[in-house]
Amino acid sequence: MDDLRYMEMPVDQDTKISASNVQIYYGDNQAIKDVNVEIADKTVTAFIGPSGCGKSTFLRCLNRMNDTIDICRVEGTIKIDGDDIYDNAVDPVQLRAKVGMVFQKPNPFPKSIYDNVAYGPKVHGLAKSKADLDVIVEKALRRGAIWDEVKDRLHAPGTGLSGGQQQRLCIARAVATEPEVLLMDEPCSALDPIATAQVEELIDELRQSYSLVIVTHSMQQAARVSQRTAFFHLGNLVEFGDTSQIFTNPQDSRTESYITGRIG
Amino acid sequence: MTDASNAAPLREKKSLLVVDARTKKRNAAEARFKMYGIIAITLGLLFLAVLLTTIISRGTGAFTQTFISVPVELREDKLDKKGNRNLEDIKKVSTFGYNPLLGDALSAVIAEGGFTTEITKSKELRKLLSSSAVGQMRAYVIENTDQIGQTVTFDFFASSRVDGYIKGRVTREDLARDKNLSAEHLDLVDQMIEAGVVRKKFNPSFIFGADASESRPEQAGLGVSMLGSLFMMLVVLFLALPIGVAASIYLEEFAPKNRLTDLIEVNISNLAAVPSIVFGILGLAFFIQFCGGYLGIAAMKASAPLVGGLVLTLMTLPTIIISTRAALKAVPPSIRDAALGVGASKMQTVFHHVLPLAAPGILTGTIIGLAQALGETAPLLLIGMVGYIASNYPDSVLSGFTDPNSAMPAQIFEWAKRADPAFYERAWGGIIILLVFLMTMNIIAILLRRRFERRW
């Protein structure tokens, strides 16, 4: 059934990430079973599914954040621009510069707003001078749609901002290293509706430059921000297709049950 | 429709204003528990108060000492017979040569003050003074040869019996069978107090001086053993902190979680509970006998603060490792995720983000470890850092690490086991100084924690 849907994919976007036969284990426990997925460039892809279905696990494998968990084991291949990211030659640090990540809970460093954003570029040596760095920080904060709110207090602690502002700061921090892919793990679950709306608007703007993958529990959010949606259930990728098709005309009965609220 | 809705209600309906028996029982239990807590804290405070008042009431006496001011004529015919002020000749006059000068000077004081006493013999008179008096005079003369022939007023330590009499420790009855002093002496002392010749005043040499022999408690001080403690703490700080922090960072952030690291972890916890005397015998066997004796490393010898510091380092390491690991664990994982997520390497994550956040905890642990090491006695006794060794200041900073020395707690232990009750008072006084050090270190720990604590 998967093959049929792939043929319906719009062909105007290149494939950025392609995963084939991915199995993920936590010790003896298989969290992800045989997932094949192609994530397009300059597109928002949403991962939905009930809690514990493995969507966050899969997301964290796309920039090898799961390397920090000793018992986590990944099989199969995940390619970004044709390069296997689990190849021995790949340094996860370089990979993470290319594939940025925003987490569920806003997690700014307990440092100034400026230092929060400047940290990534500094680590990767993107700025040659202080003036360069200033430009990068401003650009990132503007992309994070938070520049106007913080431009007068760049040296105030990032932890003093409100939840929504903190999350946009984290997005700014992630885009400051100029990644090509941005992974977002339930970026709005700790935010109120207004902050959520701001972040969603931001996601839509970021789509112009990046390939975005967002994990969300809110089906409305998936419907609002994404162009493609993948539905995970019990570690399986049940259905993957255009968002409009998934929400209006699901092919699998499990997908239909989930989006109509009967399972999950 | 569920089964539950059909069942009879478990609780009968009652007014909220009526407290039922079960609630009363629960409230009573809670009230009792609170009371136990208050009793426990009150008892604790009571013991603390008893401890502090005992220490202070018994120890403060050690900070004051009885002095007798005596003008002594430094007669040339006794001290420099040739009269050419040759230092070598002057040094040939031993402390015995000064005895007659002292006896004469005391007789003169009695005559001048118009005191009435039966005691006339020089030897008997000198019992009023510490036997350190002649040494003090000799040292002064060697320093100031130009003063020979002049009359110089010295402030001599009174003998420990006289000091005890003034502090209320020694009575006339006690002296009945004491060959060191008699009741007549005390009559004389009474007159001398009135004339202001005998005075009790603050005695800095208790804090800064060296230990003295068993017969001169009035002269004994804590200064040299304090230096011994200082040099040991330097060794501990510069070895235990870097080793401990490096080990903790590796174990906590980098090491794979497997059998081996589990085993290491358990053993570190166990090491923290190993009796300190075991570390002492280890230090004796390894540092002194193996490194110093078999390998012939000259600095590794008995009683050297370097060896003491190494032993205390071994003892402090588990404390530092445990508290550092706790501090690292307390840093929220979201900070690590954030740093890794922007592409920092593991080491950058640890050194840029985790370590600064853990620093207050690490510092607190280190200072508490140091304070523990400062008060440790048993292992030092095994490696020969016993109290009576602390009778000379080290010649230089470097030799401070290798010259035989003692440490504050060992010095206090030494005083406490000596026979003369005058030492007993000094042991309590030493405890006060030790406690002041420990309190200062704890206050520094608190201040550092306040200063570096960051919230997120």
Side-chain angles (χ1 to χ4, degrees):
Chain A
M1 63 178 181
D2 286 353
D3 299 333
L4 280 174
R5 269 204 328 284
Y6 283 145
M7 292 174 74
E8 293 164 15
M9 267 177 69
V11 285
D12 56 336
Q13 298 296 0
D14 305 331
T15 298
K16 189 72 186 170
I17 304 175
S18 82
S20 48
N21 305 320
V22 173
Q23 329 274 347
I24 303 173
Y25 301 88
Y26 285 119
D28 297 332
N29 219 340
Q30 188 165 9
I32 284 286
K33 294 164 195 159
D34 208 21
V35 166
N36 293 286
V37 77
E38 308 250 313
I39 291 163
D41 201 8
K42 308 214 191 313
T43 306
V44 179
T45 307
F47 289 176
I48 60 169
S51 294
C53 66
K55 55 194 187 306
S56 287
T57 299
F58 184 67
L59 186 80
R60 288 171 68 92
C61 282
L62 298 182
N63 71 344
R64 291 182 61 173
M65 281 299 278
N66 275 352
D67 286 14
T68 55
I69 302 166
D70 280 337
I71 56 167
C72 183
R73 195 155 49 82
V74 180
E75 285 172 10
T77 48
I78 300 175
K79 286 183 177 171
I80 291 183
D81 291 336
D83 300 329
D84 183 357
I85 63 169
Y86 280 91
D87 194 286
N88 281 338
V90 172
D91 187 336
V93 169
Q94 257 175 314
L95 170 70
R96 289 178 202 137
K98 200 168 173 174
V99 184
M101 187 151 192
V102 175
F103 297 86
Q104 182 170 4
K105 213 178 120 219
N107 56 353
F109 301 127
K111 298 179 182 224
S112 73
I113 293 168
Y114 183 95
D115 287 341
N116 259 286
V117 180
Y119 182 71
K122 264 193 220 163
V123 164
H124 297 293
L126 300 182
K128 286 183 184 63
S129 64
K130 176 83 174 66
D132 265 9
L133 196 60
D134 288 346
V135 171
I136 291 173
V137 169
E138 180 177 342
K139 200 171 130 199
L141 286 170
R142 280 187 193 282
R143 290 205 131 156
I146 194 180
W147 171 253
D148 290 331
E149 289 158 67
V150 300
K151 64 182 176 204
D152 301 322
R153 46 171 174 151
L154 286 176
H155 295 283
T159 42
L161 299 171
S162 75
Q165 287 175 323
Q166 284 190 14
Q167 194 60 301
R168 277 179 288 147
L169 175 64
C170 290
I171 294 173
R173 181 177 65 191
V175 300
T177 54
E178 310 220 321
E180 294 164 29
V181 179
L182 203 52
L183 309 176
M184 295 184 161
D185 190 359
E186 299 179 43
C188 299
S189 66
L191 305 184
D192 68 18
I194 294 170
T196 302
Q198 287 167 329
V199 172
E200 282 179 6
E201 203 176 315
L202 176 58
I203 290 170
D204 205 46
E205 281 166 26
L206 292 173
R207 179 161 67 93
Q208 312 304 321
S209 347
Y210 307 103
S211 167
L212 281 98
V213 185
I214 174 169
V215 165
T216 178
H217 271 296
S218 154
M219 278 172 283
Q220 290 87 337
Q221 185 172 55
R224 280 194 301 264
V225 301
S226 73
Q227 286 77 51
R228 319 247 325 140
T229 296
F231 171 61
F232 286 80
H233 186 241
L234 301 174
N236 296 302
L237 176 63
V238 174
E239 194 165 351
F240 179 48
D242 287 347
T243 301
S244 52
Q245 175 255 315
I246 294 274
F247 281 95
T248 54
N249 184 24
Q251 304 291 305
D252 194 287
S253 59
R254 286 170 291 177
T255 316
E256 192 184 356
S257 307
Y258 181 68
I259 60 175
T260 52
R262 265 177 287 162
I263 58 167
Chain B
M1 194 60 86
T2 62
D3 292 347
S5 55
N6 292 332
L10 280 174
R11 294 160 62 96
E12 39 179 316
K13 284 196 172 176
K14 261 197 286 183
S15 161
L16 270 178
L17 297 176
V18 183
V19 180
D20 64 17
R22 198 179 156 73
T23 311
K24 264 187 201 152
K25 222 171 144 186
R26 285 193 300 203
N27 290 348
E30 192 172 321
R32 272 201 309 278
F33 183 75
K34 276 188 199 162
M35 204 178 62
Y36 297 149
I38 292 170
I39 291 173
I41 287 176
T42 319
L43 272 179
L45 288 177
L46 203 71
F47 285 130
L48 183 67
V50 168
L51 179 75
L52 286 181
T53 43
T54 315
I55 289 174
I56 289 170
S57 67
R58 298 198 181 194
T60 39
F63 292 89
T64 56
Q65 202 66 40
T66 307
F67 289 89
I68 304 181
S69 60
V70 183
V72 184
E73 192 194 348
L74 300 172
R75 280 157 53 193
E76 193 173 10
D77 60 321
K78 294 276 185 196
L79 303 181
D80 189 17
K81 282 178 188 149
K82 289 180 187 158
N84 55 12
R85 299 289 183 271
N86 184 341
L87 197 59
E88 290 310 307
D89 289 335
I90 293 170
K91 277 186 179 169
K92 274 179 192 155
V93 183
S94 72
T95 49
F96 287 106
Y98 288 80
N99 277 336
L101 299 184
L102 198 55
D104 293 350
L106 282 168
S107 302
V109 169
I110 292 166
E112 207 172 296
F115 309 136
T116 52
T117 178
E118 306 274 293
I119 310 163
T120 48
K121 273 202 211 152
S122 164
K123 193 185 167 198
E124 284 298 310
L125 280 175
R126 287 203 312 271
K127 283 182 177 174
L128 289 173
L129 295 174
S130 161
S131 53
S132 69
V134 280
Q136 193 183 339
M137 279 165 63
R138 182 168 178 269
Y140 178 84
V141 167
I142 289 170
E143 279 283 297
N144 308 285
T145 49
D146 54 319
Q147 294 289 321
I148 294 177
Q150 311 284 323
T151 300
V152 178
T153 305
F154 288 95
D155 253 354
F156 293 124
F157 284 118
S159 76
S160 69
R161 297 293 193 284
V162 173
D163 184 56
Y165 171 64
I166 289 182
K167 286 175 179 165
R169 190 174 61 230
V170 174
T171 61
R172 284 179 166 74
E173 292 80 66
D174 295 337
L175 294 179
R177 275 184 296 173
D178 193 332
K179 63 179 170 53
N180 291 312
L181 208 67
S182 64
E184 284 92 77
H185 282 107
L186 295 187
D187 296 336
L188 181 56
V189 169
D190 283 340
Q191 299 172 47
M192 288 169 107
I193 294 169
E194 223 143 278
V197 178
V198 172
R199 274 170 302 121
K200 198 170 83 169
K201 61 179 186 185
F202 175 66
N203 174 23
S205 81
F206 173 63
I207 302 172
F208 302 109
D211 191 21
S213 82
E214 291 207 34
S215 59
R216 284 176 277 136
E218 62 280 351
Q219 203 195 358
L222 201 60
V224 174
S225 47
M226 227 187 262
L227 269 185
S229 283
L230 173 77
F231 283 113
M232 284 198 299
M233 290 306 112
L234 286 178
V235 174
V236 174
L237 184 66
F238 285 104
L239 285 179
L241 182 62
I243 296 176
V245 171
S248 324
I249 290 177
Y250 177 73
L251 282 176
E252 199 57 46
E253 306 282 340
F254 293 95
K257 302 275 173 285
N258 55 27
R259 271 263 179 79
L260 184 67
T261 46
D262 279 352
L263 196 72
I264 292 174
E265 208 162 302
V266 169
N267 276 298
I268 288 172
S269 308
N270 285 342
L271 273 182
V274 168
S276 56
I277 200 149
V278 175
F279 287 103
I281 208 135
L282 173 75
L284 176 64
F286 182 73
F287 294 125
I288 297 175
Q289 292 178 345
F290 182 73
C291 295
Y294 184 69
L295 297 180
I297 302 167
M300 298 279 198
K301 57 192 179 198
S303 311
L306 177 67
V307 175
L310 288 172
V311 169
L312 293 181
T313 300
L314 294 181
M315 244 195 61
T316 315
L317 265 175
T319 313
I320 292 186
I321 292 178
I322 289 169
S323 62
T324 303
R325 293 189 64 180
L328 291 173
K329 269 202 185 91
V331 174
S334 66
I335 296 292
R336 292 183 183 86
D337 280 351
L340 290 175
V342 297
S345 70
K346 196 136 192 186
M347 190 159 153
Q348 285 170 328
T349 304
V350 171
F351 282 89
H352 294 169
H353 300 286
V354 178
L355 206 54
L357 289 173
I362 296 174
L363 284 174
T364 312
T366 307
I367 291 176
I368 287 172
L370 278 183
Q372 216 178 356
L374 184 69
E376 201 52 68
T377 324
L380 303 184
L381 298 180
L382 281 188
I383 55 165
M385 296 189 76
V386 278
Y388 59 83
I389 283 182
S391 50
N392 285 305
Y393 274 100
D395 304 324
S396 65
V397 176
L398 207 61
S399 67
F401 288 107
T402 53
D403 278 2
N405 204 334
S406 182
M408 279 196 277
Q411 180 72 74
I412 292 166
F413 174 69
E414 171 71 22
W415 284 340
K417 72 181 182 161
R418 282 182 189 172
D420 193 326
F423 278 114
Y424 194 55
E425 176 193 70
R426 301 192 109 65
W428 286 99
I431 294 279
I432 292 182
I433 296 180
L434 189 62
L435 283 183
V436 167
F437 269 92
L438 295 180
M439 254 159 67
T440 316
M441 288 170 82
N442 278 298
I443 289 169
I444 290 173
I446 292 168
L447 290 180
L448 283 175
R449 200 165 42 204
R450 288 255 174 92
R451 169 81 181 70
F452 289 113
E453 201 149 60
R454 278 197 262 187
R455 299 179 193 291
W456 54 81

